[in-house]
């Protein structure tokens, strides 16, 4: 099968959409499918091109058997709503202009967010005349209203209309959480061809090992390390982490590590400095290859989101990496994520944006090595059984093949109706 995948982010970028798309694409290519990914020059999150790349109109490379087409886009840091929106729109324009030069696929997949990347699939569907599967990793624009980036108004209503239209026009919709199904079905006006393919983890890459180098690099010593690994954005409520660290500042056994980047990172660094949090290390983004070592240096994984109704529907992708690395989780997310944690028996759930509750959970895990080991082992077993990215990628292929078969069946029926009769 020939698969054309549209994603604003792709390896060597290390954020969640880049990881999901690159790991699926690599697995599809290994299974014998011809995969082309259309994306940007790697620049997340600072808007600066990675070494060895340029922001050209059209360039090709091959990564792990996947043909990667990189298009020119407007680059900017992952902060500032207007500039980011212009960047996302530039990808839609670039993908539309590049459409005649892209290979003819059997199926198109576009992933959203970013929203306009998702919509680009609809445009290419018309040009290439093949089925289009829309992947929804976050409920956009609902999520930007939830974090206060935009207020409900005419612009949001327009975006919601585009969202609903995309759901209806797609030949299939893939969502990453069970909670998304009702949202999509209501706007799609039907339930068929909505599929749940949750996030997972590359079990070949994420293997527990020695975290000594990371501990030495960031002066963590022999402390119990409570680590947040991921985007430092408006949605994540990381002030709660700093407030919890302040409550534990007099406990020399415990240290906090923040790995990643995002719109809130500079402010968090300044706030930690003002609070004189000597027990906190905010180290920025690290390469994907360092992630197993980071997790190996971690004793407790911190996974946080702000307390909103929208975030009760999400499953943070970093949960699966933490479980794969047998790290117990202190989870400040309600809803489906908390239900998954309880099912796996992989950690302690606390109320979102509740610093005393988070501090108490970290202290409890720091004081009980047997509890940490038990929760970590349970999470590792659960993720091996249910969230192996390679197995999920093959399930995804079944979804794509069903979309292709349905389209061919519909085309055949239409041809029969239009055929001349004697």
């Amino acid at each position: 099968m020939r698969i054309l995948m549209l994603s604003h982010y792709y390896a060597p970028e290390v954020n969640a959409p880049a990881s999901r798309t690159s790991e699926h694409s690599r697995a599809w290519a290994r299974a014998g499918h011809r995969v082309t990914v259309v994306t940007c020059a790697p620049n997340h999150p600072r808007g600066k091109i990675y070494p060895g790349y340029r922001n050209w109109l059209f360039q090709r490379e091959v990564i792990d058997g996947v043909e990667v087409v990189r298009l020119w886009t407007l680059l900017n840091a992952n902060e500032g709503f207007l500039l980011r929106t212009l960047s996302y729109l530039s990808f839609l324009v670039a993908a539309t202009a590049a459409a005649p030069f892209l290979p003819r696929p059997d199926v198109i997949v576009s992933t959203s967010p970013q929203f306009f990347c998702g919509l680009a699939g609809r445009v290419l569907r018309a040009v290439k005349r093949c089925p289009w599967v829309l992947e929804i990793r976050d409920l956009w624009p609902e999520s930007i209203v939830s974090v206060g980036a935009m207020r409900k108004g005419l612009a949001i209503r327009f975006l919601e209309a585009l969202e609903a239209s995309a759901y209806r026009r797609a030949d299939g919709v893939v969502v990453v959480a069970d909670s998304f199904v009702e949202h999509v079905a209501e706007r799609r006006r039907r339930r068929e061809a909505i599929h749940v393919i949750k996030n997972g983890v590359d079990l070949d890459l994420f293997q527990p090992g020695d975290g000594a180098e990371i501990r030495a690099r960031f002066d963590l010593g022999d402390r119990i390390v409570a680590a947040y690994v991921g985007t430092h954005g408006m949605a994540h409520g990381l002030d709660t982490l700093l407030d919890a660290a302040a409550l534990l500042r007099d406990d020399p056994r415990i240290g906090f590590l923040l790995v990643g980047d995002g719109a809130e990172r500079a402010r968090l660094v300044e706030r930690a400095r003002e609070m004189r949090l000597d027990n906190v290390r905010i180290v920025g983004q690290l390469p994907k290859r360092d992630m197993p070592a980071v997790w190996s240096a971690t004793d407790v994984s911190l996974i946080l989101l702000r307390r909103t109704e929208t975030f009760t529907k999400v499953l943070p992708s970093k949960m699966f990496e933490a479980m794969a690395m047998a790290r117990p989780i202190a989870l400040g997310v309600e809803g489906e994520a908390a239900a998954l944690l309880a099912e796996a028996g992989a950690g302690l759930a606390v109320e979102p944006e509740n610093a005393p509750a988070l501090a108490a959970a970290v202290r409890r895990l720091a004081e009980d090595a047997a509890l940490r080991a038990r929760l970590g082992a349970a999470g590792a077993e659960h993720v091996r059984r249910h969230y192996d990215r390679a197995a999920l990628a093959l399930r995804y292929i079944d979804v794509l093949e069903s979309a292709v078969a349905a389209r061919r069946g519909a085309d055949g029926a239409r041809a029969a109706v239009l055929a001349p009769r004697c």
Side-chain angles (χ1 to χ4, degrees):
M1 185 166 52
R2 296 167 298 178
I3 303 168
L4 180 62
M5 180 83 192
L6 307 179
S7 176
H8 201 88
Y9 306 108
Y10 197 75
E13 292 168 311
V14 298
N15 59 351
S19 295
R20 178 180 172 91
T21 301
S22 61
E23 289 169 13
H24 281 157
S25 298
R26 182 171 65 244
W28 297 341
R30 287 176 178 172
H33 302 282
R34 179 180 173 183
V35 184
T36 300
V37 173
V38 180
T39 187
C40 312
N43 69 95
H44 180 274
R46 304 312 308 167
K48 296 181 179 179
I49 298 293
Y50 287 24
Y53 289 91
R54 295 185 180 181
N55 193 24
W56 285 351
L57 286 177
F58 191 100
Q59 52 191 316
R60 281 191 170 97
E61 64 176 322
V62 176
I63 303 176
D64 295 328
V66 177
E67 180 186 31
V68 180
V69 175
R70 300 190 185 272
L71 305 178
W72 179 91
T73 56
L74 180 66
L75 303 181
N76 62 274
N78 188 32
E79 53 192 44
F81 179 77
L82 178 59
L83 288 176
R84 282 189 293 172
T85 300
L86 291 175
S87 174
Y88 305 151
L89 272 169
S90 72
F91 179 83
L92 171 59
V93 172
T96 300
F101 306 100
L102 298 173
R104 174 73 181 271
D106 296 307
V107 63
I108 295 167
V109 185
S110 61
T111 185
S112 174
Q114 305 313 327
F115 185 66
F116 297 105
C117 175
L119 294 183
R122 182 173 180 176
V123 175
L124 267 65
R125 174 183 186 260
V127 174
K128 298 299 186 182
R129 305 183 69 178
C130 65
W132 164 46
V133 173
L134 174 61
E135 178 181 85
I136 300 298
R137 304 183 333 275
D138 198 1
L139 298 179
W140 206 94
E142 180 178 310
S143 61
I144 60 173
V145 175
S146 295
V147 300
M150 286 187 71
R151 294 181 179 179
K152 194 85 169 178
L154 183 61
I156 289 295
R157 288 195 293 273
F158 173 70
L159 292 173
E160 288 174 339
L162 284 179
E163 174 199 21
S165 176
Y167 294 159
R168 291 194 294 271
R169 295 290 293 175
D171 296 276
V173 180
V174 169
V175 297
V176 300
D178 296 321
S179 304
F180 288 9
V181 172
E182 190 63 35
H183 177 97
V184 173
E186 180 181 345
R187 290 153 181 79
R188 186 170 163 81
R189 299 175 183 168
R190 61 190 190 278
R191 285 186 172 274
E192 65 267 22
I194 301 175
H195 310 273
V196 180
I197 305 289
K198 295 179 182 179
N199 279 311
V201 64
D202 182 347
L203 295 178
D204 292 332
L205 174 63
F206 286 90
Q207 295 284 338
D210 182 6
E213 190 276 331
I214 293 293
R215 283 179 172 269
R217 190 193 312 179
F218 300 119
D219 191 27
L220 296 168
D222 59 357
R223 288 177 167 182
I224 297 296
V225 175
Y228 173 86
V229 181
T231 301
H232 297 25
M234 296 174 66
H236 301 94
L238 296 180
D239 286 296
T240 304
L241 188 157
L242 297 186
D243 292 339
L247 293 172
L248 296 172
R249 69 194 318 159
D250 294 328
D251 190 333
R253 300 169 303 170
I254 301 171
F256 290 82
L257 175 68
L258 286 83
V259 178
D261 209 330
E264 290 284 280
R265 180 175 177 268
R267 187 188 65 79
L268 292 166
V269 169
E270 179 60 20
R271 183 165 184 250
R273 185 190 65 79
E274 292 173 352
M275 296 171 70
R276 299 181 180 179
L277 293 176
D278 295 333
N279 58 341
V280 174
R281 305 285 186 271
I282 304 177
V283 303
Q285 181 171 286
L286 298 177
K288 183 79 169 182
R289 64 178 178 273
D290 286 353
M291 290 303 102
V294 169
W295 286 116
S296 295
T298 297
D299 298 291
V300 179
S301 169
L302 306 179
I303 299 177
L304 309 174
L305 286 173
R306 290 172 60 181
R307 191 178 190 184
T308 71
E309 174 63 27
T310 297
F311 295 148
T312 65
K313 304 172 186 176
V314 306
L315 285 175
S317 60
K318 58 185 72 70
M319 287 184 70
F320 305 102
E321 293 183 4
M323 288 193 289
M325 296 295 291
R327 272 20 188 192
I329 296 170
L331 177 72
V333 187
E334 295 178 323
E336 188 166 344
L340 188 151
L341 186 77
E343 179 185 355
L348 304 179
V350 302
E351 181 183 51
E353 299 188 272
N354 186 329
L358 180 62
V362 171
R363 189 189 297 275
R364 180 182 173 193
L365 290 167
E367 292 174 344
D368 193 337
L371 177 61
R372 295 199 306 272
R374 184 169 71 252
L375 296 175
E381 178 62 21
H382 191 76
V383 88
R384 279 194 294 270
R385 289 187 176 185
H386 302 288
Y387 298 106
D388 179 353
R389 186 83 84 180
L392 293 170
L394 296 181
R395 281 180 50 203
Y396 211 134
I397 285 295
D398 293 339
V399 170
L400 301 183
E401 288 178 340
S402 70
V404 172
R407 179 63 175 267
R408 287 173 179 167
D411 289 346
R414 189 178 302 112
V417 169
L418 296 176
R421 305 190 180 199
C422 299

